[in-house]
Amino acid sequence: MYWSRLFIPTLREDPAEAEVASHRLLLRAGYIRQLAAGIYNYLYLAQRSMLKITQIVREEMDAIGGQEMYLPALNPAEVWQESGRWDLMGDNMFRLKDRFGRQLCLGMTHEEIVTTIARGELRSYKQLPQIWYQIQTKFRDEPRPKSGLLRVRQFIMKDSYSFDLAPAGLDAAYDKHHAAYCRIFDRCGLEYVVVEAHSGAMGGSQSHEFMVVSDAGEDFVVSGKNYAANLEKAVSVAKAPAAADPEGDLSPEEFHTPGQKTIADLCAFTKLPETSQMKSLVMMADGKPVLAVLRGDHSLSETKFASATGAAEIRPAHPEEIREWMGADAGSLGPVGVTRMRVLIDEALRGRCNLICGANKTDYHLRHVTPGEDFKGEFFDLRQVAEGDTSVVDGGALSVHKTVEIGHIFKLGYKYSESMGLRVLNETGEEITPIMGSYGIGIERILAAAVELYHDKDGMVLPASIAPFAVVVTPVNANDEGQRKAAQEIYDACKAAGIDALFDDRDERPGVKFKDSELIGIPYRITIGKKLPQGVVEVVERRTKVSTDVAVKDAASFVSDRLASSAR
Ligand SMILES: Nc1ncnc2c1ncn2[C@@H]1O[C@H](COP(=O)(O)OP(=O)(O)O)[C@@H](O)[C@H]1O
Ligand SMILES: [Mg+2]
């Protein structure tokens, strides 16, 4: 490809709207342009990169026996109503009507669709197991589309589905996907961690996420030497690091706290630390209010709360509900005197005394309160794991990191096969329900996460396997006949060696050409310049900026060797 004929609209300045590095650089380097919130045009460079990513994904899915299909993005409502997800997906689902007034939606994922295919066609145990996959566009009306390609409303997903006769078969399909995902992300050059995940709205029993540690992410991962889990699911030793009790006479006393609503407000007002405060949260568990009481510096883990209450659906109570049940607003709530609902007390409050909590009277709090004495409740481990907590696996310290989720695998179990009536006959002629798995990878996320991981002040530093080009051949002066001729020879040699090469034939100053190639993140540049009369060119590695003098005739094979040794 000849750069002078390509559409690569690089920008001099950082775009103001971009907060995270990948968003900023993908715009600046001319990979993408926004069409609307969370909807992007993928220009030439992004598309080249994404095609390389999808090819890696496809090869690894084929290698575990996956069969590629292509399913419609436009789905009839009935199929989603059968599984119950038409309602469950709420505002995240794009919905529309056809000319006859029939309800349709744009697919967010395809469990329902593959299950309809399977139930219509699979009859016998002899047809199982199956692994079906596709690389296709998904639509999700995300509440906060942001960060460029990291969270968009239209994106490309590789989604696959497994069907097996028995749980052992599902375990095998799951393990195959786990291994294939590791190979995919390794080949894409990403550093990632695999963590235990919460199965959430998908239902099912086991789930792992593939995460790239990055401040641009929106997920949190808890990790220790022998443990890694999504914060939503993470556990730690229930006992919190000890905290000292405030002075006091153990008899609760009301005091006026005008305008003091948050834990931080109260710390400043009472001159006592967060560990001397209690926070009281009114939650709705399957429609019933439950009060959760935690230490001021702790947060509620909704997952632990859900398992403590046994509720299927939980949410924070709305302000009107809080007022109705507690007689006060959210800034002044407390557990003392609460009898109309279950009270759950976090383990970190066991044995503490003389603490502060809301008085259920707006602008008043209580001090000298002792959990278990001045109010009763059931003790549970309710708090979200925090930095420095103790691992249940090995007693080591845990840390918390922000991450980007690039892949997710689930054991679905029987949720869809059961609800949508997928049955096959087993060896003895009895009807049985197959067991399913579901596995997703975000294609844009791989590109964006790679940029987050690998960039410097001059631009992207993409792994060669997913960079839009592997090498750029740059004559310093495109009008110099000799340089141009040597560059053409090297470019042709690169192509002949199977290297994805770009020829920067633009009539631009060398500084501009170097800057652009650094910005778009091409792993190697072969510069043809003033050493040409000695038969020498420079090969510059983007990552290290180290330059090596190489003979003209060896340039292509030098880059080829480098690429081969950098591929994992
Ligand atoms: N809004 C989005 N924008 C880009 N990629 C996404 C988005 N939502 C999901 N993905 C990608 O698709 C994969 C599978 O999605 P899934 O686990 O169903 O999504 P989520 O965890 O957001 O509910 C994710 O691991 C991620 O790589
Ligand atoms: Mg997920």
Side-chain angles (χ1 to χ4, degrees):
M1 289 296 168
Y2 295 85
W3 197 323
S4 65
R5 290 172 224 168
L6 298 179
F7 178 59
I8 303 179
T10 56
L11 305 174
R12 285 261 162 86
E13 305 291 328
D14 278 339
E17 71 268 31
E19 283 169 25
V20 301
S22 61
H23 188 194
R24 178 167 56 78
L25 289 171
L26 287 166
L27 284 170
R28 253 194 85 181
Y31 279 58
I32 60 170
R33 288 293 182 264
Q34 190 180 47
L35 178 63
I39 307 179
Y40 284 88
N41 299 302
Y42 303 156
L43 307 184
Y44 180 63
L45 291 183
Q47 179 64 0
R48 278 188 82 87
S49 219
M50 306 240 298
L51 287 173
K52 292 190 177 179
I53 297 168
T54 49
Q55 189 51 30
I56 292 172
V57 171
R58 180 172 281 129
E59 285 169 16
E60 296 301 338
M61 289 307 300
D62 290 347
I64 59 166
Q67 302 158 71
E68 187 168 358
M69 301 185 169
Y70 188 77
L71 309 172
L74 197 54
N75 297 175
E78 294 75 32
V79 183
W80 286 80
Q81 282 157 350
E82 273 189 68
S83 71
R85 290 209 292 184
W86 178 262
D87 291 328
L88 202 66
M89 291 305 195
D91 287 341
N92 284 339
M93 180 180 262
F94 280 105
R95 296 161 205 258
L96 61 158
K97 281 200 177 125
D98 70 9
R99 60 172 72 209
F100 304 108
R102 285 187 290 247
Q103 285 270 12
L104 301 159
C105 68
L106 298 179
M108 306 175 64
T109 171
H110 278 74
E111 283 78 10
E112 282 80 356
I113 308 303
V114 294
T115 310
T116 63
I117 301 172
R119 77 172 170 201
E121 311 288 336
L122 300 176
R123 294 277 170 264
S124 153
Y125 70 94
K126 289 182 189 153
Q127 293 168 291
L128 295 181
Q130 293 286 333
I131 295 176
W132 298 347
Y133 82 95
Q134 61 169 343
I135 297 171
Q136 187 247 22
T137 304
K138 300 282 185 268
F139 297 87
R140 296 183 182 181
D141 197 357
E142 296 280 351
R144 283 173 303 281
K146 61 169 201 180
S147 310
L149 296 190
L150 283 173
R151 187 166 292 279
V152 282
R153 298 196 293 166
Q154 164 172 344
F155 60 97
I156 301 170
M157 197 199 286
K158 183 291 296 174
D159 44 325
S160 44
Y161 306 90
S162 62
F163 300 89
D164 283 276
L165 282 173
L170 172 60
D171 293 348
Y174 190 86
D175 292 347
K176 278 186 190 172
H177 276 88
H178 190 295
Y181 276 35
C182 290
R183 283 192 296 272
I184 289 167
F185 299 131
D186 285 344
R187 285 182 62 187
C188 291
L190 294 178
E191 284 162 78
Y192 60 94
V193 286
V194 190
V195 311
E196 288 174 34
H198 184 46
S199 312
M202 304 290 284
S205 58
Q206 202 187 8
S207 162
H208 284 90
E209 287 164 330
F210 293 74
M211 299 287 207
V212 166
V213 174
S214 161
D215 279 339
E218 292 183 3
D219 279 285
F220 289 89
V221 157
V222 173
S223 60
K225 210 162 159 232
N226 301 299
Y227 183 74
N230 191 307
L231 182 59
E232 288 175 354
K233 154 105 188 181
V235 292
S236 63
V237 173
K239 202 168 157 28
D245 293 324
E247 302 278 302
D249 63 2
L250 303 176
S251 39
E253 168 189 53
E254 198 174 279
F255 64 112
H256 192 208
T257 49
Q260 312 299 309
K261 292 191 186 326
T262 65
I263 295 291
D265 293 343
L266 281 154
C267 289
F269 190 79
T270 60
K271 307 211 165 39
L272 287 171
E274 287 183 313
T275 54
S276 301
Q277 323 279 340
M278 287 187 279
K279 56 168 78 140
S280 305
L281 305 167
V282 185
M283 301 292 294
M284 301 301 278
D286 287 341
K288 289 206 199 79
V290 177
L291 189 69
V293 189
L294 292 121
R295 203 167 84 182
D297 58 328
H298 292 154
S299 308
L300 178 69
S301 158
E302 294 203 0
T303 316
K304 290 181 186 175
F305 180 80
S307 56
T309 53
E313 239 176 280
I314 55 163
R315 62 168 173 87
H318 302 311
E320 324 79 70
E321 291 167 333
I322 293 177
R323 225 165 290 133
E324 180 196 328
W325 288 98
M326 306 293 286
D329 291 331
S332 306
L333 304 180
V336 177
V338 172
T339 52
R340 296 171 70 198
M341 64 184 82
R342 266 178 92 180
V343 176
L344 305 188
I345 312 171
D346 182 59
E347 282 292 347
L349 293 173
R350 198 191 276 276
R352 300 289 311 280
C353 63
N354 285 323
L355 303 179
I356 293 171
C357 63
N360 293 327
K361 188 166 141 190
T362 298
D363 282 343
Y364 284 88
H365 281 77
L366 295 174
R367 58 182 154 226
H368 308 160
V369 177
T370 300
E373 291 291 326
D374 299 318
F375 65 94
K376 300 278 181 238
E378 305 152 65
F379 282 92
F380 280 102
D381 174 22
L382 295 176
R383 75 193 166 90
Q384 208 164 58
V385 176
E387 182 80 29
D389 274 4
T390 304
S391 167
V392 290
V393 181
D394 56 15
L398 295 172
S399 55
V400 181
H401 298 286
K402 249 184 165 180
T403 58
V404 172
E405 177 194 327
I406 48 174
H408 199 164
I409 56 179
F410 293 92
K411 288 186 184 170
L412 289 175
Y414 300 98
K415 182 176 156 71
Y416 297 92
S417 41
E418 197 69 72
S419 65
M420 298 183 67
L422 163 60
R423 309 270 185 275
V424 298
L425 297 179
N426 72 5
E427 280 157 301
T428 54
E430 290 162 310
E431 267 205 345
I432 61 147
T433 305
I435 187 165
M436 292 171 57
S438 148
Y439 318 87
I441 286 184
I443 304 298
E444 289 87 343
R445 286 258 176 106
I446 293 183
L447 173 59
V451 180
E452 291 296 338
L453 281 176
Y454 313 118
H455 66 267
D456 60 19
K457 65 175 184 13
D458 298 317
M460 306 182 190
V461 187
L462 287 178
S465 58
I466 65 168
F469 291 96
V471 64
V472 55
V473 180
T474 308
V476 168
N477 177 357
N479 296 319
D480 178 309
E481 209 37 54
Q483 283 186 18
R484 218 189 145 89
K485 201 164 146 276
Q488 183 71 51
E489 275 168 31
I490 292 171
Y491 174 75
D492 292 341
C494 286
K495 298 298 272 185
I499 304 169
D500 197 4
L502 171 63
F503 190 163
D504 192 353
D505 60 337
R506 292 175 301 161
D507 185 12
E508 288 281 3
R509 283 182 290 112
V512 171
K513 296 204 269 193
F514 296 166
K515 273 210 163 65
D516 276 346
S517 70
E518 284 167 3
L519 178 61
I520 70 176
I522 300 182
Y524 292 97
R525 186 180 72 225
I526 303 175
T527 309
I528 296 101
K530 58 179 189 300
K531 294 177 190 162
L532 186 62
Q534 288 85 55
V536 170
V537 295
E538 287 172 24
V539 178
V540 184
E541 188 184 38
R542 171 67 185 89
R543 189 170 59 84
T544 56
K545 302 217 170 149
V546 169
S547 166
T548 312
D549 286 352
V550 179
V552 172
K553 63 172 177 30
D554 299 332
S557 59
F558 180 88
V559 170
S560 176
D561 290 349
R562 285 294 190 89
L563 288 170
S565 67
S566 71
R568 282 202 251 169

